[in-house]
Amino acid sequence: MKPLRVKDIRNLLKGELISGSETWSVNHAIYYNRHDLTKRNSLMFVSRSDDVNWNEINNKGPSLVISDKPLSELKNALSDTTVIKVKSLVQSYWKFMDNYRSLFQIPVVAITGTCGKTTTKEMIKHILSKDWNVHASISSKNEPRQSFPYLMGINGKTNAAVFELGLGNTGNIKHQCMIYQPTIGIITNIGVHHLDGCGNLEGYINAKSEIVDGIKKDGTLILNADDTNTKKVSLHSFKGKVIYFGESSKADFRASNIQFTENGMNFQINFMKKEYTAFIPGYGEHQVYNALAAIAAVNEMGMDIKEAISRLKTYKNMSRHLEFSSGKGGSTIIDDTWTNNPTSVEAALKVLDSIGVGKNVILILGDIKRLGNFEKKYHAEIGSLVAKRNIHTLITIGSKAEEIARKAMEEGSKADVHMFKDTKGVMEVLQPKLDNQAVLLIKGPMSSRSMIEFANKLKENS
């Protein structure tokens, strides 16, 4: 955070100094009881309903409390705590964030999509970090309550910021964009997810579409030219620049000649009538799309495309994102336990189509969460996708995933099918099948600690 004088904060918020000194500077900011108070020189917004531990606050002093609590409560502050009373905490909170964001005229990228958000964010960060100080959201920790601390992580040394936008319910992306005020927005794709919070697919698409109005004036929107649901996003209100990526002729950054190669993907990029040869570590056509979005973003920030492509060659693929490992009996294990939704399952199956040719293909699929009233429909659709493929063994884990197995068998899958409630007993089925001809893909939700641990056991080459 860029240090701010307490007196300047009081003047900005038109607050009343109740107690303490205002001659010092704030170096951190939190919303009390939403974020942990761990550092000195912290500002905290304290709501009327908050139970306040004045000793805790004072022990981290000097501390600054901004609140609209009654004066009688605020006078309980101790000696190393400065208190400013404001008329409306909510208005002060938003005014403070808006003012802080206005201090920085830097590129701010906001990324949403059903799949590929974290990878695209990490690619952009990797490309830029050689020359720039890049501030980014951590891993896939993208829930809205993280947005305020992430914004405060921008400081005077920051050259660019890249944030993932989490979506659990309608309004989440709008809320985050109000905080970040992105100059560049990316929609990687729109599949099916979080239907419990958005009602149905149309509601989910509308929730993702909130990014369109969230981009700053004269900003840039980067979209997947080939994604069916992204085409349903209305751009009528958008006055900025739109850049498309994909394989179709509509794409500004167009990929062609996509090929699986050792440890990743080779492909050509066509942009402005020029052709570039590229490589991205990590398998799958979806990985190429992530790379295209990242290259489009950094090019919009002024980076040469050849330089961006060169830097992507050294990108380190994220763990548990279709991560290849040697496993028991000399088998190949593909760990994709990072996230689980119909779009990412289909992408993983496409990778298996290429990698599994001539191999003994084993597929382990877990429950897909947050599908609301559409659980059976989408699990069944995955069963249909499995039935069309040359899968030798299908194992489902969890009560919801049983629908995958039932549909696959109903549609004539020749796989040896097993259904389990949990991971107990799965290894006994697998043990005789794991040899140097076996390729095993395990895919489950990141909330399933047991599936993650089971994937790790499979990688033990013994």
Side-chain angles (χ1 to χ4, degrees):
M1 178 180 173
K2 182 177 182 177
L4 299 174
R5 290 177 63 217
V6 173
K7 184 177 181 179
D8 293 337
I9 294 170
R10 180 178 63 78
N11 287 335
L12 170 71
L13 302 181
K14 295 181 170 54
E16 177 187 356
L17 181 66
I18 302 301
S19 62
S21 167
E22 60 177 7
T23 60
W24 55 284
S25 292
V26 165
N27 296 328
H28 312 281
I30 65 169
Y31 200 108
Y32 191 66
N33 284 343
R34 289 187 195 172
H35 313 115
D36 293 333
L37 173 60
T38 59
K39 298 176 180 176
R40 298 185 182 277
N41 292 72
S42 288
L43 172 160
M44 61 208 77
F45 291 94
V46 179
S47 75
R48 280 175 173 265
S49 60
D50 281 330
D51 291 325
V52 180
N53 185 333
W54 291 106
N55 284 316
E56 176 197 33
I57 291 173
N58 207 63
N59 288 339
K60 291 295 182 184
S63 296
L64 172 61
V65 168
I66 296 173
S67 183
D68 56 2
K69 276 181 174 291
L71 188 61
S72 58
E73 292 187 48
L74 296 178
K75 285 188 174 179
N76 292 325
L78 303 176
S79 60
D80 213 8
T81 302
T82 299
V83 177
I84 295 174
K85 181 174 171 57
V86 293
K87 290 182 179 179
S88 167
L89 186 74
V90 172
Q91 289 179 12
S92 297
Y93 177 63
W94 283 101
K95 187 170 187 178
F96 176 80
M97 285 192 293
D98 191 56
N99 178 263
Y100 191 79
R101 174 65 181 87
S102 72
L103 300 176
F104 306 98
Q105 306 304 312
I106 61 172
V108 175
V109 185
I111 307 171
T112 190
T114 304
C115 300
K117 295 185 295 296
T118 307
T119 299
T120 302
K121 178 203 68 186
E122 293 297 325
M123 285 180 180
I124 293 171
K125 182 181 176 182
H126 177 81
I127 294 168
L128 295 176
S129 290
K130 184 177 180 180
D131 310 309
W132 287 6
N133 187 327
V134 182
H135 175 56
S137 48
I138 299 166
S139 185
S140 62
K141 296 176 181 178
N142 56 25
E143 56 270 25
R145 70 183 182 87
Q146 299 278 1
S147 304
F148 178 48
Y150 282 147
L151 178 69
M152 293 297 107
I154 298 174
N155 60 38
K157 295 180 180 179
T158 306
N159 301 112
V162 191
F163 302 117
E164 231 180 281
L165 304 182
L167 168 61
N169 300 284
T170 300
N172 285 165
I173 287 177
K174 179 180 180 181
H175 174 88
Q176 291 168 94
C177 284
M178 287 171 67
I179 295 173
Y180 295 139
Q181 299 176 37
T183 60
I184 298 173
I186 300 174
I187 302 178
T188 56
N189 50 56
I190 303 176
V192 178
H193 208 19
H194 297 294
L195 300 189
D196 54 347
C198 300
N200 53 33
L201 179 57
E202 183 181 345
Y204 180 66
I205 294 169
N206 289 338
K208 288 291 186 189
S209 301
E210 291 170 4
I211 194 173
V212 175
D213 291 330
I215 297 169
K216 288 192 77 167
K217 185 182 177 183
D218 300 322
T220 302
L221 189 60
I222 299 173
L223 300 176
N224 187 329
D226 306 332
D227 184 63
T228 301
N229 289 330
T230 302
K231 293 173 185 176
K232 299 174 184 176
V233 172
S234 174
L235 301 179
H236 292 307
S237 63
F238 188 67
K239 306 300 181 187
K241 181 178 180 182
V242 181
I243 297 172
Y244 289 95
F245 64 93
E247 295 178 69
S248 69
S249 58
K250 184 181 180 181
D252 301 290
F253 286 81
R254 184 169 61 84
S256 61
N257 196 26
I258 298 173
Q259 297 176 334
F260 281 75
T261 187
E262 187 176 354
N263 298 322
M265 308 297 292
N266 281 333
F267 59 105
Q268 301 294 125
I269 299 176
N270 300 276
F271 178 70
M272 299 287 286
K273 297 182 179 179
K274 290 185 179 180
E275 189 169 83
Y276 305 85
T277 299
F279 168 82
I280 181 67
Y283 289 112
E285 187 180 273
H286 66 282
Q287 189 77 336
V288 173
Y289 276 69
N290 294 336
L292 289 174
I295 291 168
V298 299
N299 181 250
E300 189 64 9
M301 295 182 212
M303 176 167 285
D304 177 73
I305 293 176
K306 278 188 177 179
E307 181 63 24
I309 289 170
S310 175
R311 294 183 186 188
L312 265 186
K313 290 178 183 177
T314 59
Y315 170 74
K316 186 170 171 30
N317 207 34
M318 298 182 67
S319 64
R320 298 185 9 243
H321 283 64
L322 289 170
E323 181 181 18
F324 280 63
S325 304
S326 58
K328 289 182 177 295
S331 61
T332 299
I333 307 299
I334 309 174
D335 181 352
D336 201 26
T337 55
W338 185 264
T339 189
N340 203 23
N341 56 61
T343 305
S344 64
V345 172
E346 186 170 6
L349 289 175
K350 287 180 180 178
V351 171
L352 202 56
D353 291 341
S354 296
I355 300 298
V357 174
K359 298 286 187 177
N360 174 24
V361 179
I362 303 168
L363 178 61
I364 304 177
L365 295 175
D367 289 342
I368 299 177
K369 309 281 182 70
R370 304 210 62 180
L371 292 176
N373 296 325
F374 301 89
E375 274 181 359
K376 186 172 181 179
K377 168 183 165 63
Y378 288 110
H379 282 89
E381 286 187 5
I382 291 168
S384 297
L385 291 176
V386 171
K388 295 173 185 175
R389 290 173 155 82
N390 190 25
I391 308 292
H392 297 94
T393 302
L394 170 64
I395 295 172
T396 62
I397 298 175
S399 57
K400 298 179 180 70
E402 287 179 5
E403 187 62 32
I404 297 173
R406 282 193 289 267
K407 189 66 173 177
M409 289 187 289
E410 180 186 313
E411 296 198 0
S413 172
K414 293 182 172 60
D416 177 22
V417 180
H418 300 264
M419 292 177 271
F420 290 87
K421 294 295 184 187
D422 52 44
T423 57
K424 187 178 179 181
V426 177
M427 191 64 83
E428 284 75 2
V429 172
L430 289 176
Q431 198 78 48
K433 300 173 182 283
L434 296 176
D435 56 28
N436 61 9
Q437 289 300 303
V439 174
L440 185 154
L441 167 64
I442 178 168
K443 184 154 185 59
M446 65 172 67
S447 60
S448 176
R449 179 56 51 188
S450 62
M451 281 196 74
I452 293 168
E453 290 173 355
F454 188 74
N456 289 332
K457 286 180 182 176
L458 289 169
K459 297 173 198 173
E460 296 169 3
N461 196 1
S462 59

